[in-house]
Coordinates of all heavy atoms in Angstrom, one line a residue:
M1 N 0.8 -1.2 0.0 CA 0.0 0.0 0.0 C 0.9 1.2 0.0 O 1.8 1.3 0.8 CB -0.9 0.0 1.2 CG -1.8 1.1 1.3 SD -2.9 0.9 2.8 CE -4.0 2.2 2.5
N2 N 0.6 2.2 -0.9 CA 1.4 3.4 -1.0 C 0.8 4.5 -0.1 O -0.4 4.6 0.0 CB 1.5 3.9 -2.4 CG 2.2 2.9 -3.3 OD1 3.0 2.2 -2.8 ND2 2.0 3.0 -4.6
H3 N 1.7 5.2 0.5 CA 1.3 6.4 1.3 C 0.9 7.5 0.3 O 1.6 7.8 -0.6 CB 2.4 6.8 2.2 CG 2.0 7.8 3.2 ND1 1.9 9.1 3.0 CD2 1.6 7.6 4.5 CE1 1.5 9.8 4.0 NE2 1.3 8.9 5.0
P4 N -0.3 8.1 0.5 CA -0.8 9.1 -0.4 C 0.1 10.4 -0.5 O 0.1 11.1 -1.5 CB -2.2 9.5 0.1 CG -2.2 9.0 1.5 CD -1.2 7.9 1.6
L5 N 0.8 10.7 0.5 CA 1.6 11.9 0.5 C 3.1 11.7 0.3 O 3.9 12.6 0.3 CB 1.5 12.6 1.9 CG 0.1 13.1 2.2 CD1 0.0 13.7 3.6 CD2 -0.5 14.0 1.2
A6 N 3.5 10.4 0.0 CA 4.9 10.1 -0.3 C 5.3 10.6 -1.6 O 4.5 10.6 -2.6 CB 5.1 8.6 -0.2
E7 N 6.5 11.1 -1.7 CA 7.0 11.6 -3.0 C 7.7 10.5 -3.8 O 7.8 9.3 -3.3 CB 8.0 12.7 -2.7 CG 9.2 12.2 -1.9 CD 10.2 13.3 -1.6 OE1 11.0 13.7 -2.4 OE2 10.1 13.8 -0.4
D8 N 8.1 10.8 -5.0 CA 8.8 9.8 -5.8 C 10.3 9.8 -5.4 O 10.9 10.9 -5.5 CB 8.7 10.2 -7.3 CG 9.3 9.2 -8.2 OD1 9.5 8.0 -7.8 OD2 9.6 9.5 -9.4
Y9 N 10.8 8.7 -5.0 CA 12.1 8.6 -4.4 C 13.2 8.3 -5.4 O 14.3 8.1 -5.1 CB 12.2 7.6 -3.3 CG 11.2 7.9 -2.1 CD1 10.1 7.1 -1.9 CD2 11.5 9.0 -1.3 CE1 9.2 7.5 -0.9 CE2 10.6 9.4 -0.3 CZ 9.5 8.6 -0.1 OH 8.7 8.9 0.9
K10 N 12.8 8.1 -6.7 CA 13.7 7.8 -7.8 C 14.8 8.9 -8.0 O 15.9 8.6 -8.5 CB 13.0 7.5 -9.0 CG 12.2 6.2 -8.9 CD 11.4 5.9 -10.2 CE 10.5 4.7 -10.0 NZ 9.6 4.5 -11.1
H11 N 14.5 10.1 -7.7 CA 15.4 11.2 -8.0 C 16.4 11.4 -6.9 O 17.4 12.1 -7.0 CB 14.6 12.5 -8.2 CG 14.0 13.0 -6.9 ND1 12.8 12.5 -6.5 CD2 14.4 14.0 -6.1 CE1 12.5 13.2 -5.4 NE2 13.4 14.0 -5.1
L12 N 16.3 10.7 -5.7 CA 17.2 10.8 -4.6 C 18.4 10.0 -4.9 O 18.4 8.9 -5.5 CB 16.6 10.4 -3.3 CG 15.4 11.2 -2.8 CD1 14.8 10.6 -1.6 CD2 15.8 12.7 -2.6
S13 N 19.6 10.4 -4.4 CA 20.8 9.6 -4.4 C 20.7 8.5 -3.4 O 19.8 8.6 -2.5 CB 22.0 10.4 -4.2 OG 22.1 10.9 -2.8
D14 N 21.6 7.5 -3.4 CA 21.6 6.4 -2.4 C 21.8 7.0 -1.0 O 21.2 6.5 -0.1 CB 22.6 5.4 -2.8 CG 22.3 4.6 -4.1 OD1 21.1 4.6 -4.5 OD2 23.2 4.0 -4.6
I15 N 22.7 7.9 -0.9 CA 23.0 8.5 0.4 C 21.8 9.3 0.9 O 21.4 9.2 2.1 CB 24.2 9.5 0.3 CG1 25.4 8.6 -0.1 CG2 24.4 10.2 1.6 CD1 26.7 9.4 -0.4
E16 N 21.1 10.1 0.1 CA 19.9 10.8 0.5 C 18.8 9.8 0.9 O 18.1 10.1 1.9 CB 19.4 11.7 -0.6 CG 20.3 12.9 -0.9 CD 19.9 13.6 -2.1 OE1 19.4 13.0 -3.1 OE2 20.1 14.9 -2.1
L17 N 18.7 8.8 0.2 CA 17.7 7.7 0.5 C 18.0 7.1 1.9 O 17.1 7.0 2.7 CB 17.7 6.7 -0.6 CG 16.5 5.8 -0.7 CD1 15.2 6.6 -1.0 CD2 16.7 4.8 -1.8
A18 N 19.2 6.8 2.1 CA 19.6 6.2 3.4 C 19.4 7.2 4.6 O 18.9 6.8 5.7 CB 21.1 5.7 3.4
D19 N 19.7 8.5 4.3 CA 19.5 9.5 5.3 C 18.0 9.7 5.7 O 17.7 9.8 6.9 CB 20.1 10.9 4.8 CG 21.6 10.9 4.8 OD1 22.2 10.0 5.5 OD2 22.1 11.8 4.2
R20 N 17.2 9.6 4.7 CA 15.7 9.7 4.9 C 15.2 8.5 5.7 O 14.4 8.7 6.6 CB 15.0 9.8 3.6 CG 15.2 11.1 2.9 CD 13.9 11.7 2.5 NE 14.2 13.0 1.8 CZ 13.5 13.5 0.9 NH1 12.4 12.8 0.5 NH2 13.8 14.6 0.4
M21 N 15.7 7.4 5.4 CA 15.3 6.2 6.2 C 15.8 6.3 7.6 O 15.0 6.0 8.5 CB 15.9 4.9 5.5 CG 15.2 4.5 4.2 SD 15.9 3.1 3.5 CE 15.5 1.8 4.6
D22 N 17.0 6.7 7.8 CA 17.6 6.8 9.2 C 16.8 7.9 10.0 O 16.4 7.6 11.2 CB 19.0 7.2 9.2 CG 19.9 6.1 8.7 OD1 19.5 4.9 8.7 OD2 21.1 6.4 8.3
S23 N 16.5 9.0 9.4 CA 15.8 10.1 10.0 C 14.3 9.6 10.4 O 13.9 9.8 11.5 CB 15.7 11.3 9.1 OG 14.8 12.2 9.7
L24 N 13.7 9.0 9.5 CA 12.3 8.5 9.8 C 12.3 7.4 10.8 O 11.4 7.3 11.6 CB 11.6 8.0 8.5 CG 10.1 7.8 8.5 CD1 9.4 9.1 9.0 CD2 9.6 7.5 7.1
N25 N 13.3 6.5 10.8 CA 13.4 5.5 11.7 C 13.6 6.0 13.2 O 13.0 5.5 14.1 CB 14.6 4.6 11.4 CG 14.3 3.1 11.6 OD1 13.2 2.8 12.1 ND2 15.2 2.3 11.2
K26 N 14.4 7.1 13.3 CA 14.6 7.7 14.6 C 13.3 8.3 15.1 O 12.9 8.2 16.3 CB 15.7 8.8 14.5 CG 17.1 8.2 14.4 CD 18.1 9.3 14.2 CE 19.4 8.8 13.9 NZ 20.4 9.8 13.6
K27 N 12.6 9.0 14.2 CA 11.3 9.6 14.6 C 10.3 8.6 14.9 O 9.4 8.9 15.8 CB 10.8 10.5 13.4 CG 11.7 11.7 13.2 CD 11.3 12.5 12.0 CE 12.2 13.6 11.7 NZ 12.0 14.3 10.4
Y28 N 10.3 7.5 14.3 CA 9.4 6.4 14.6 C 9.5 6.0 16.0 O 8.5 5.8 16.7 CB 9.7 5.2 13.7 CG 8.8 4.0 14.0 CD1 7.6 3.8 13.4 CD2 9.3 3.0 14.9 CE1 6.8 2.7 13.7 CE2 8.5 1.9 15.2 CZ 7.3 1.7 14.6 OH 6.5 0.6 14.9
W29 N 10.7 5.8 16.5 CA 10.9 5.4 17.9 C 10.7 6.5 18.9 O 10.6 6.2 20.1 CB 12.3 4.8 18.1 CG 12.4 3.5 17.3 CD1 13.1 3.3 16.2 CD2 11.7 2.3 17.6 NE1 12.9 2.0 15.7 CE2 12.1 1.3 16.6 CE3 10.9 1.9 18.6 CZ2 11.6 0.0 16.6 CZ3 10.4 0.6 18.6 CH2 10.8 -0.3 17.6
M30 N 10.7 7.7 18.5 CA 10.4 8.9 19.4 C 9.0 9.1 19.7 O 8.6 9.6 20.7 CB 11.0 10.2 18.7 CG 12.5 10.2 18.7 SD 13.2 11.6 17.8 CE 12.5 13.0 18.6
T31 N 8.1 8.6 18.9 CA 6.7 8.8 19.1 C 6.0 7.6 19.7 O 6.4 6.5 19.5 CB 5.9 9.2 17.8 OG1 4.6 9.5 18.1 CG2 6.0 8.1 16.8
N32 N 5.0 7.8 20.5 CA 4.2 6.8 21.0 C 2.8 6.7 20.4 O 2.0 5.8 20.7 CB 4.0 7.0 22.5 CG 5.3 6.8 23.3 OD1 6.1 6.0 22.9 ND2 5.5 7.7 24.3
N33 N 2.5 7.6 19.4 CA 1.2 7.6 18.7 C 1.2 6.5 17.7 O 1.9 6.5 16.7 CB 1.0 9.0 18.1 CG -0.3 9.2 17.5 OD1 -1.0 8.2 17.1 ND2 -0.8 10.4 17.5
E34 N 0.3 5.5 17.9 CA 0.3 4.4 17.0 C -0.2 4.7 15.6 O 0.2 4.1 14.6 CB -0.6 3.3 17.5 CG 0.0 2.5 18.7 CD 1.3 1.9 18.4 OE1 1.4 1.3 17.3 OE2 2.2 2.0 19.2
Q35 N -1.1 5.7 15.4 CA -1.5 6.1 14.1 C -0.4 6.8 13.3 O -0.2 6.5 12.1 CB -2.7 7.1 14.2 CG -4.0 6.5 14.6 CD -4.2 6.6 16.1 OE1 -3.4 7.2 16.8 NE2 -5.3 5.9 16.6
V36 N 0.4 7.6 14.0 CA 1.6 8.2 13.3 C 2.6 7.1 13.0 O 3.1 7.1 11.8 CB 2.2 9.3 14.2 CG1 3.5 9.8 13.7 CG2 1.2 10.4 14.5
R37 N 2.8 6.2 13.8 CA 3.7 5.1 13.6 C 3.3 4.3 12.3 O 4.1 3.9 11.5 CB 3.9 4.2 14.8 CG 4.8 4.7 15.8 CD 5.0 3.6 16.9 NE 6.1 4.0 17.7 CZ 6.6 3.2 18.6 NH1 6.1 2.1 18.9 NH2 7.6 3.7 19.4
S38 N 2.0 4.0 12.2 CA 1.5 3.2 11.1 C 1.8 4.0 9.8 O 2.1 3.4 8.7 CB 0.1 2.8 11.2 OG -0.8 4.0 11.2
Q39 N 1.6 5.3 9.8 CA 1.9 6.1 8.6 C 3.4 6.1 8.3 O 3.8 6.0 7.1 CB 1.4 7.5 8.8 CG -0.1 7.7 9.0 CD -0.8 7.2 7.8 OE1 -0.5 7.5 6.6 NE2 -1.8 6.3 8.0
M40 N 4.2 6.1 9.3 CA 5.7 6.1 9.1 C 6.1 4.8 8.5 O 7.0 4.7 7.7 CB 6.4 6.4 10.4 CG 6.3 7.8 10.9 SD 7.1 7.9 12.5 CE 7.2 9.6 12.7
V41 N 5.5 3.7 8.9 CA 5.8 2.4 8.4 C 5.5 2.3 6.9 O 6.3 1.7 6.2 CB 5.0 1.3 9.2 CG1 5.1 -0.1 8.5 CG2 5.5 1.1 10.6
L42 N 4.4 2.9 6.5 CA 4.1 2.9 5.1 C 5.2 3.6 4.3 O 5.7 3.1 3.2 CB 2.8 3.6 4.8 CG 1.5 2.8 5.2 CD1 0.3 3.7 5.0 CD2 1.4 1.6 4.4
I43 N 5.7 4.7 4.8 CA 6.7 5.5 4.1 C 8.1 4.7 4.1 O 8.8 4.6 3.1 CB 6.9 6.9 4.6 CG1 5.6 7.7 4.3 CG2 8.1 7.6 4.0 CD1 5.5 9.0 5.0
L44 N 8.4 4.1 5.3 CA 9.6 3.3 5.4 C 9.6 2.2 4.4 O 10.6 1.8 3.8 CB 9.8 2.8 6.8 CG 10.4 3.8 7.8 CD1 10.2 3.3 9.2 CD2 11.8 4.1 7.5
D45 N 8.4 1.5 4.3 CA 8.3 0.4 3.3 C 8.6 0.9 1.9 O 9.2 0.2 1.1 CB 6.9 -0.2 3.4 CG 6.8 -1.1 4.7 OD1 7.8 -1.4 5.3 OD2 5.7 -1.4 5.0
E46 N 8.1 2.0 1.6 CA 8.3 2.6 0.2 C 9.8 2.9 0.0 O 10.3 2.6 -1.1 CB 7.5 3.8 0.0 CG 6.0 3.5 -0.2 CD 5.2 4.7 -0.7 OE1 5.8 5.7 -1.2 OE2 4.0 4.7 -0.5
L47 N 10.4 3.4 1.0 CA 11.9 3.7 0.9 C 12.7 2.3 0.8 O 13.6 2.3 -0.1 CB 12.4 4.4 2.2 CG 11.9 5.9 2.3 CD1 12.2 6.4 3.7 CD2 12.6 6.7 1.2
R48 N 12.3 1.3 1.5 CA 12.9 0.0 1.4 C 12.7 -0.6 0.0 O 13.6 -1.2 -0.6 CB 12.4 -0.9 2.5 CG 13.0 -0.6 3.8 CD 12.5 -1.6 4.9 NE 12.8 -1.2 6.2 CZ 11.9 -0.8 7.1 NH1 10.6 -1.0 6.8 NH2 12.2 -0.4 8.3
L49 N 11.5 -0.4 -0.5 CA 11.2 -0.9 -1.9 C 12.1 -0.2 -2.9 O 12.5 -0.9 -3.9 CB 9.7 -0.8 -2.2 CG 8.8 -1.7 -1.5 CD1 7.3 -1.3 -1.8 CD2 9.1 -3.2 -2.0
E50 N 12.3 1.1 -2.8 CA 13.1 1.8 -3.7 C 14.6 1.3 -3.6 O 15.2 1.1 -4.6 CB 13.1 3.3 -3.4 CG 14.0 4.1 -4.3 CD 13.6 4.0 -5.8 OE1 12.5 3.7 -6.1 OE2 14.5 4.3 -6.6
V51 N 15.1 1.0 -2.4 CA 16.4 0.5 -2.2 C 16.5 -0.9 -2.9 O 17.5 -1.2 -3.7 CB 16.8 0.4 -0.7 CG1 18.1 -0.4 -0.6 CG2 16.9 1.8 -0.1
E52 N 15.5 -1.7 -2.7 CA 15.5 -3.0 -3.4 C 15.4 -2.9 -4.9 O 16.1 -3.7 -5.6 CB 14.3 -3.9 -2.8 CG 14.3 -5.3 -3.3 CD 15.5 -6.1 -2.9 OE1 16.1 -5.8 -1.8 OE2 15.8 -7.1 -3.6
R53 N 14.6 -2.0 -5.4 CA 14.5 -1.8 -6.8 C 15.9 -1.4 -7.4 O 16.3 -1.9 -8.5 CB 13.5 -0.7 -7.2 CG 13.2 -0.5 -8.6 CD 12.4 0.7 -8.9 NE 13.1 2.0 -8.6 CZ 14.0 2.5 -9.4 NH1 14.3 2.0 -10.6 NH2 14.6 3.7 -9.1
R54 N 16.6 -0.5 -6.8 CA 17.9 -0.1 -7.2 C 18.9 -1.3 -7.2 O 19.7 -1.4 -8.1 CB 18.4 1.0 -6.4 CG 17.7 2.3 -6.6 CD 18.2 3.4 -5.7 NE 17.4 4.6 -5.9 CZ 17.7 5.8 -5.4 NH1 18.8 6.0 -4.8 NH2 16.9 6.8 -5.6
R55 N 18.8 -2.1 -6.2 CA 19.7 -3.3 -6.1 C 19.4 -4.2 -7.2 O 20.4 -4.8 -7.8 CB 19.5 -3.9 -4.7 CG 20.6 -4.7 -4.2 CD 20.5 -5.2 -2.8 NE 20.6 -4.1 -1.9 CZ 19.9 -4.0 -0.7 NH1 19.1 -5.0 -0.4 NH2 20.1 -3.0 0.1
L56 N 18.2 -4.4 -7.5 CA 17.8 -5.4 -8.6 C 18.3 -4.8 -10.0 O 18.8 -5.6 -10.8 CB 16.3 -5.6 -8.6 CG 15.8 -6.6 -7.6 CD1 14.3 -6.6 -7.6 CD2 16.4 -7.9 -7.7
L57 N 18.2 -3.5 -10.2 CA 18.6 -2.9 -11.4 C 20.1 -3.0 -11.6 O 20.6 -3.2 -12.7 CB 18.2 -1.4 -11.5 CG 16.7 -1.1 -11.8 CD1 16.4 0.4 -11.7 CD2 16.3 -1.7 -13.1
E58 N 20.8 -2.9 -10.5 CA 22.3 -3.1 -10.5 C 22.7 -4.5 -10.8 O 23.7 -4.7 -11.5 CB 22.8 -2.8 -9.1 CG 23.8 -1.7 -9.0 CD 24.2 -1.4 -7.6 OE1 24.6 -2.3 -6.9 OE2 24.1 -0.2 -7.2
K59 N 21.9 -5.4 -10.4 CA 22.2 -6.9 -10.5 C 21.9 -7.4 -11.9 O 22.5 -8.3 -12.4 CB 21.4 -7.6 -9.4 CG 21.8 -9.1 -9.3 CD 21.1 -9.7 -8.1 CE 21.5 -11.1 -8.0 NZ 20.7 -11.8 -6.9
E60 N 20.9 -6.8 -12.6 CA 20.4 -7.4 -13.8 C 21.5 -7.5 -14.9 O 21.6 -8.6 -15.5 CB 19.3 -6.5 -14.4 CG 17.9 -6.9 -13.8 CD 16.8 -6.0 -14.3 OE1 17.0 -5.3 -15.3 OE2 15.7 -6.1 -13.8
P61 N 22.3 -6.5 -15.2 CA 23.4 -6.7 -16.2 C 24.3 -7.8 -15.9 O 24.8 -8.5 -16.8 CB 24.1 -5.3 -16.2 CG 23.1 -4.4 -15.6 CD 22.3 -5.1 -14.6
Q62 N 24.6 -8.0 -14.6 CA 25.5 -9.1 -14.2 C 24.9 -10.5 -14.5 O 25.5 -11.4 -14.9 CB 25.9 -9.0 -12.8 CG 26.6 -7.8 -12.4 CD 26.8 -7.6 -10.9 OE1 26.3 -8.3 -10.1 NE2 27.4 -6.5 -10.5
E63 N 23.6 -10.6 -14.3 CA 22.9 -11.8 -14.6 C 22.8 -12.2 -16.0 O 22.7 -13.3 -16.4 CB 21.4 -11.8 -14.0 CG 21.4 -11.7 -12.5 CD 22.0 -12.9 -11.8 OE1 21.7 -14.0 -12.3 OE2 22.7 -12.8 -10.8
E64 N 22.7 -11.2 -16.9 CA 22.6 -11.4 -18.3 C 23.9 -12.2 -18.8 O 23.8 -13.0 -19.7 CB 22.5 -10.1 -19.1 CG 21.2 -9.5 -18.9 CD 21.1 -8.1 -19.7 OE1 22.0 -7.8 -20.4 OE2 20.1 -7.4 -19.5
N65 N 25.0 -12.0 -18.3 CA 26.2 -12.7 -18.7 C 26.3 -14.1 -18.2 O 27.1 -14.9 -18.7 CB 27.5 -11.9 -18.2 CG 27.6 -10.6 -18.8 OD1 27.2 -10.4 -19.9 ND2 28.2 -9.7 -18.1
K66 N 25.4 -14.5 -17.3 CA 25.4 -15.9 -16.8 C 24.3 -16.8 -17.4 O 24.0 -17.8 -16.9 CB 25.2 -15.8 -15.3 CG 26.4 -15.2 -14.6 CD 26.2 -15.2 -13.1 CE 27.4 -14.5 -12.4 NZ 27.2 -14.5 -11.0
T67 N 23.8 -16.4 -18.5 CA 22.8 -17.2 -19.2 C 23.4 -18.4 -19.8 O 24.6 -18.4 -20.0 CB 22.0 -16.4 -20.3 OG1 23.0 -16.1 -21.3 CG2 21.3 -15.2 -19.8
L68 N 22.7 -19.5 -20.0 CA 23.2 -20.7 -20.6 C 23.9 -20.5 -21.9 O 24.9 -21.1 -22.2 CB 22.1 -21.8 -20.7 CG 21.7 -22.4 -19.3 CD1 20.6 -23.4 -19.6 CD2 22.9 -23.1 -18.7
D69 N 23.3 -19.6 -22.7 CA 23.9 -19.4 -24.0 C 25.4 -18.9 -23.9 O 26.2 -19.2 -24.8 CB 23.1 -18.4 -24.8 CG 21.7 -19.0 -25.2 OD1 21.6 -20.2 -25.3 OD2 20.8 -18.2 -25.5
N70 N 25.6 -18.1 -23.0 CA 27.0 -17.5 -22.8 C 27.9 -18.5 -22.1 O 29.1 -18.4 -22.2 CB 26.9 -16.2 -22.0 CG 26.3 -15.1 -22.8 OD1 26.2 -15.2 -24.0 ND2 25.7 -14.1 -22.1
L71 N 27.3 -19.4 -21.3 CA 28.2 -20.4 -20.6 C 28.6 -21.6 -21.4 O 29.6 -22.2 -21.2 CB 27.4 -20.8 -19.3 CG 27.2 -19.8 -18.3 CD1 26.4 -20.3 -17.1 CD2 28.5 -19.3 -17.7
I72 N 27.8 -22.0 -22.4 CA 28.0 -23.1 -23.2 C 28.8 -22.7 -24.4 O 28.4 -21.9 -25.2 CB 26.7 -23.8 -23.6 CG1 26.0 -24.3 -22.4 CG2 27.0 -25.0 -24.6 CD1 24.6 -24.8 -22.7
K73 N 30.0 -23.3 -24.5 CA 30.9 -22.9 -25.7 C 30.9 -24.1 -26.6 O 31.2 -25.2 -26.2 CB 32.3 -22.7 -25.2 CG 32.5 -21.6 -24.2 CD 32.7 -20.3 -24.8 CE 33.0 -19.3 -23.7 NZ 32.6 -18.0 -23.9
I74 N 30.5 -23.9 -27.8 CA 30.5 -24.9 -28.9 C 31.6 -24.6 -29.8 O 31.7 -23.6 -30.4 CB 29.2 -25.0 -29.6 CG1 28.1 -25.3 -28.6 CG2 29.2 -26.0 -30.7 CD1 26.7 -25.3 -29.2
S75 N 32.6 -25.6 -30.0 CA 33.7 -25.3 -30.9 C 33.6 -26.2 -32.1 O 33.1 -27.3 -32.1 CB 35.0 -25.6 -30.3 OG 35.1 -25.5 -28.9

């Protein structure tokens, strides 16, 4: 589920993304309001998904070289 007020995180650098996650994580533990915490969890999940998306995009070119066509040498 996406948070309605969350921005698009694709334009942030990896460092900025990590800083936002750290900041929001600290604020999460500072509050005792469960409704606020549930909203923070939605945004944290979106940030984690963006990190995972970037990791997968990084990994894709490496996986292309490991296909069976490239591994099998016919002479």
Side-chain angles (χ1 to χ4, degrees):
M1 180 176 190
N2 293 338
H3 192 277
L5 299 177
E7 61 186 280
D8 185 20
Y9 299 112
K10 293 178 184 175
H11 69 280
L12 296 176
S13 70
D14 291 342
I15 294 172
E16 290 172 329
L17 199 61
D19 287 345
R20 291 231 179 147
M21 286 179 68
D22 289 342
S23 172
L24 194 55
N25 221 355
K26 287 177 189 173
K27 291 174 186 173
Y28 175 87
W29 293 109
M30 289 171 58
T31 185
N32 292 324
N33 187 330
E34 287 302 316
Q35 287 92 5
V36 171
R37 279 187 168 187
S38 68
Q39 296 299 311
M40 289 177 168
V41 166
L42 288 173
I43 296 174
L44 280 167
D45 286 344
E46 286 189 23
L47 290 167
R48 286 185 192 112
L49 284 172
E50 178 61 24
V51 169
E52 184 65 24
R53 184 189 70 79
R54 290 179 185 191
R55 205 171 288 147
L56 287 173
L57 285 175
E58 238 176 53
K59 190 177 181 180
E60 277 180 12
Q62 296 170 359
E63 293 297 320
E64 287 177 7
N65 293 333
K66 293 183 181 177
T67 62
L68 284 178
D69 292 339
N70 292 337
L71 293 176
I72 299 172
K73 303 272 187 208
I74 299 176
S75 339

